[in-house]
Amino acid sequence: MPRKNRRNPEFFEKPEAPPARADAPLWALAPGYDVRHVGGEKEYRCPGCDHVVRPGVWHLVVVPQGEPDERRHWHTECWRREIRRLGGRA
Amino acid sequence: MTVPEERLAFDSGKGQVSAAFARPPEPVATLVVSHGAGSGMDHPFLVGFTRAMNEQAIATLRFNFPYMEAGRRSTDPQPVAVAAWRAAFEAAVARAGGGQVFAGGKSYGGRMASVAVAEGMPAAGLVFLGYPLHPPGKPERVRDEHLYAIEVPMLFLHGTLDPFADPRLLKRVIDRLGTRATLLEVTGGDHSFNVRGAKKEPREVGASLAPLVASFIRELV
């Protein structure tokens, strides 16, 4: 006898996609830079450590103000280190 | 004969930054050059270029942007970079001994020079060593708006295989700039002017561009 209590696929097979971008944590904000928290499908090269930012890993996108072409994807930890180098004088 | 190089520092508006000034005997003009986004003023390409300019009787000043001086990897916000450029230009004027002062740079550095000139920095002319017209693979994001506000002569040195400027788009920009702009192409050159198979050291590659830039400057002074 065929089963009747099939799950409604409409209901169960479409988990809600997480938001692709969000505001960066407060510590990551630096004057003169736009910082966003993102998770993406692409692979990037982190300027802080020269290693890969793996697809799907949440990380930070940093854009110096007035310089849209200098937008870079940073590991969160690498940007934390970069912020320390800014030393509050930016 | 090697022209001695003076190491100096000046206030960029965001702290002291390093610079290197070299003045051959009886220079015809002075050229201030800034580095690309990923490498400082002592990158062999820039050193080779400026030293070869000195041999062409042109004084040079190379300098670091504040982010590079601080050992950071994130380029400065545009107002910071432009302020540093103005300070570098003034440092060069103070040492030029009355001759004309030109501005230029490698990639990002050249673009910052052009923004500074568009905002009123009184350079006699501009020299672009690989102008980053758009990000690689994104020709729709052309950054040329401010160039049309510039009234001084501009030299675009450009590798034909440079992914930062589609040759057809660049020619369109040059045409629109009219007599102000001169385009010199390095056949087969990439964004760093390396030609595949040529196997030249960056210092040599930089030096090889100097005669072209020197004749551009000589025609103007």
Side-chain angles (χ1 to χ4, degrees):
Chain A
M1 181 174 169
R3 84 182 255 186
K4 277 184 177 168
N5 61 339
R6 244 181 254 279
R7 287 176 172 181
N8 178 350
E10 285 277 313
F11 228 78
F12 290 97
E13 287 174 14
K14 279 189 189 165
E16 202 174 303
R21 45 168 58 216
D23 286 335
L26 280 178
W27 66 259
L29 303 179
Y33 295 88
D34 294 327
V35 186
R36 305 279 289 174
H37 200 195
V38 299
E41 300 299 307
K42 271 175 73 180
E43 191 174 283
Y44 301 97
R45 181 70 53 178
C46 170
C49 65
D50 248 354
H51 285 75
V52 160
V53 181
R54 294 226 181 109
V57 170
W58 279 75
H59 61 276
L60 299 170
V61 171
V62 179
V63 188
Q65 279 162 18
E67 289 304 316
D69 293 352
E70 299 302 323
R71 156 202 174 102
R72 297 287 181 270
H73 292 255
W74 294 72
H75 291 118
T76 305
E77 271 314 302
C78 294
W79 179 247
R80 193 193 295 276
R81 217 164 290 138
E82 182 84 348
I83 285 265
R84 262 187 237 128
R85 275 191 209 107
L86 283 165
R89 48 170 215 124
Chain B
M1 180 207 64
T2 312
V3 179
E5 196 171 76
E6 178 201 351
R7 306 295 286 197
L8 56 121
F10 61 86
D11 182 12
S12 68
K14 286 282 177 192
Q16 294 284 113
V17 295
S18 308
F21 178 72
R23 188 176 192 273
E26 299 182 36
V28 294
T30 300
L31 174 65
V32 187
V33 280
S34 53
H35 57 77
S39 60
M41 63 175 238
D42 285 329
H43 187 277
F45 173 90
L46 219 52
V47 174
F49 172 71
T50 51
R51 301 311 270 156
M53 288 303 287
N54 301 152
E55 280 165 28
Q56 300 275 340
I58 289 165
T60 53
L61 184 123
R62 314 189 296 275
F63 69 98
N64 273 342
F65 286 116
Y67 78 93
M68 187 57 68
E69 188 75 18
R72 287 189 278 118
R73 300 287 181 88
S74 46
T75 48
D76 293 307
Q78 197 177 93
V80 174
V82 170
W85 241 112
R86 297 193 77 106
F89 191 80
E90 278 163 31
V93 168
R95 287 166 177 79
Q100 299 213 60
V101 181
F102 290 73
K106 168 86 176 59
S107 189
Y108 163 84
R111 193 156 54 74
M112 289 303 98
S114 67
V115 173
V117 171
E119 292 180 6
M121 189 175 81
L126 277 161
V127 174
F128 303 115
L129 309 174
Y131 184 81
L133 190 60
H134 55 74
K138 291 180 179 161
E140 69 282 5
R141 279 174 46 195
V142 169
R143 304 201 70 202
D144 60 344
E145 329 71 36
H146 69 287
L147 292 176
Y148 307 110
I150 296 172
E151 283 162 10
V152 295
M154 289 171 261
L155 173 65
F156 290 79
L157 272 178
H158 174 66
T160 52
L161 296 181
D162 182 349
F164 285 82
D166 177 272
R168 277 169 40 222
L169 286 178
L170 184 61
K171 282 199 180 98
R172 199 179 301 166
V173 171
I174 303 283
D175 286 347
R176 216 183 129 189
L177 287 168
T179 52
R180 286 170 286 179
T182 307
L183 173 64
L184 285 180
E185 289 184 325
V186 175
T187 307
D190 65 11
H191 193 50
S192 302
F193 295 94
N194 292 318
V195 177
R196 229 173 136 186
K199 293 222 173 86
K200 274 202 218 165
E201 295 297 318
R203 197 180 160 115
E204 233 184 303
V205 175
S208 71
L209 304 177
L212 306 170
V213 177
S215 53
F216 168 79
I217 289 177
R218 275 213 194 86
E219 278 177 26
L220 298 169
V221 293

